[in-house]
Amino acid sequence: MNAAGFVPHDFVDLDGERFKSAVTISKARRREQHRDGDGDDDRRCKTLHLLRVRGSQRLSAEGIFVLTDYCRRLRELSISYSLLSDELLLALCSVKQIHLETLRIEAHPETRPLPYISDKAWSVFSNRLPNMNVILLSYMADEDDERLLFTPHFPVTHLYLGDAPSQATISRISEQCPRLIELVIAAYESGPIDRFLISIAKNCAQLSAVGLGDCEVTCSGLARFVALCARRLQALYVVEMSLIEDAEFDITGVSANVSSLLGRTWVPEYVPLW
């Protein structure tokens, strides 16, 4: 199961070398179907629900769109951020027959420089596809790269920060990710994350799942965060060694407090030392 809760029946994982032939095949089949006059969507990739595109910068927006358009049952498209463009986003939201539910984007340092995606393209995309799950897995640590990722109109719903983000990036989440449903922060190295979590809880009204790895958070800060979003918080994972005991709560005390707020037993995640 992926982060958006969708379980694909089948998927295709394409690298740069295989992608060209796959697009050629799909174009040929579209021409053949047009000549036959057969408009039955069931003949179009009956089982393909997830398409993962990796690799080459030479892959065009047109090529990705052609294959996506052919696979009418496609529900998830997974691509590198380096392959995004205004043209691809506008194409994906312009054809009614495409029924994508999830756009999964990965951003890695080795794919720099990142493309510039205009606010207009993101705005059109989110307005025409308001229920789309937009998943971002970011492994960027450079602040300039992170600034390109987090634009005011980027409609991210599931955010995974796989490398230690900057303080500026963490502060942008509450301001620029109002549609956020799930947040996972693998590590944060700039001190306690309390005030950022509290701001996110106040401004991200749909937030329902949070995971904190190697991050510092005070026990009282965690309690205040949970108090703000307890009614909608379905999943909360915090590593025990990330919790900082303070005058208000120790780990046992905050576990009892959070359990009471959530209405179910909650304890931090224990990580063995070995």
Side-chain angles (χ1 to χ4, degrees):
M1 180 181 290
N2 63 27
F6 174 71
V7 182
H9 287 228
D10 202 353
F11 70 92
V12 170
D13 192 350
L14 295 177
D15 58 26
E17 297 303 317
R18 296 171 56 201
F19 191 83
K20 184 175 180 181
S21 61
V23 172
T24 301
I25 291 171
S26 72
K27 285 183 176 179
R29 287 180 176 172
R30 290 180 71 188
R31 289 194 296 269
E32 184 178 307
Q33 185 182 57
H34 180 72
R35 287 196 301 269
D36 293 343
D38 185 352
D40 185 1
D41 284 348
D42 287 341
R43 293 184 58 188
R44 293 173 179 252
C45 289
K46 290 186 177 181
T47 60
L48 183 61
H49 282 189
L50 187 154
L51 172 64
R52 181 177 297 124
V53 182
R54 297 179 288 111
S56 177
Q57 291 275 8
R58 296 173 295 174
L59 304 182
S60 67
E62 180 186 3
I64 297 171
F65 175 71
V66 166
L67 194 56
T68 305
D69 183 40
Y70 177 75
C71 303
R72 294 293 174 87
R73 289 177 177 264
L74 194 66
R75 293 297 181 266
E76 179 171 337
L77 174 62
S78 176
I79 63 175
S80 167
Y81 194 97
S82 63
L83 300 177
L84 280 182
S85 66
D86 284 15
E87 292 76 18
L88 176 58
L89 291 176
L90 295 175
L92 289 176
C93 64
S94 66
V95 179
K96 293 182 179 180
Q97 292 92 331
I98 293 180
H99 300 294
L100 280 178
E101 297 172 358
T102 301
L103 176 62
R104 184 177 184 272
I105 304 164
E106 294 192 22
H108 295 270
E110 58 267 24
T111 61
R112 290 182 295 181
L114 296 177
Y116 171 74
I117 310 299
S118 71
D119 287 345
K120 179 181 178 181
W122 277 127
S123 182
V124 170
F125 181 85
S126 57
N127 287 335
R128 293 186 182 175
L129 299 170
N131 298 319
M132 176 78 73
N133 292 305
V134 180
I135 302 172
L136 174 64
L137 296 90
S138 173
Y139 300 93
M140 295 294 187
D142 184 84
E143 190 169 329
D144 290 336
D145 293 328
E146 293 172 336
R147 189 179 295 111
L148 273 176
L149 291 175
F150 294 95
T151 60
H153 295 279
F154 182 32
V156 62
T157 58
H158 298 72
L159 176 59
Y160 303 85
L161 299 175
D163 204 340
S166 67
Q167 182 173 315
T169 294
I170 294 293
S171 65
R172 288 189 189 103
I173 295 174
S174 63
E175 301 168 359
Q176 300 181 351
C177 305
R179 298 179 67 216
L180 196 63
I181 296 171
E182 183 173 5
L183 173 65
V184 175
I185 303 175
Y188 183 67
E189 299 175 348
S190 301
I193 203 170
D194 301 27
R195 65 185 179 94
F196 302 112
L197 285 178
I198 291 168
S199 179
I200 290 167
K202 291 178 178 178
N203 295 322
C204 301
Q206 300 180 67
L207 186 69
S208 61
V210 173
L212 302 177
D214 188 10
C215 307
E216 291 184 346
V217 57
T218 67
C219 290
S220 58
L222 179 65
R224 285 194 292 272
F225 165 75
V226 175
L228 288 169
C229 54
R231 291 185 178 181
R232 64 180 189 271
L233 200 58
Q234 299 176 10
L236 176 65
Y237 298 94
V238 180
V239 177
E240 182 178 355
M241 62 185 180
S242 295
L243 286 171
I244 302 173
E245 297 182 334
D246 53 24
E248 190 171 351
F249 290 110
D250 58 12
I251 292 177
T252 300
V254 77
S255 298
N257 179 266
V258 170
S259 296
S260 176
L261 290 168
L262 294 178
R264 61 183 184 272
T265 301
W266 182 88
V267 292
E269 302 298 307
Y270 175 70
V271 178
L273 296 178
W274 59 87

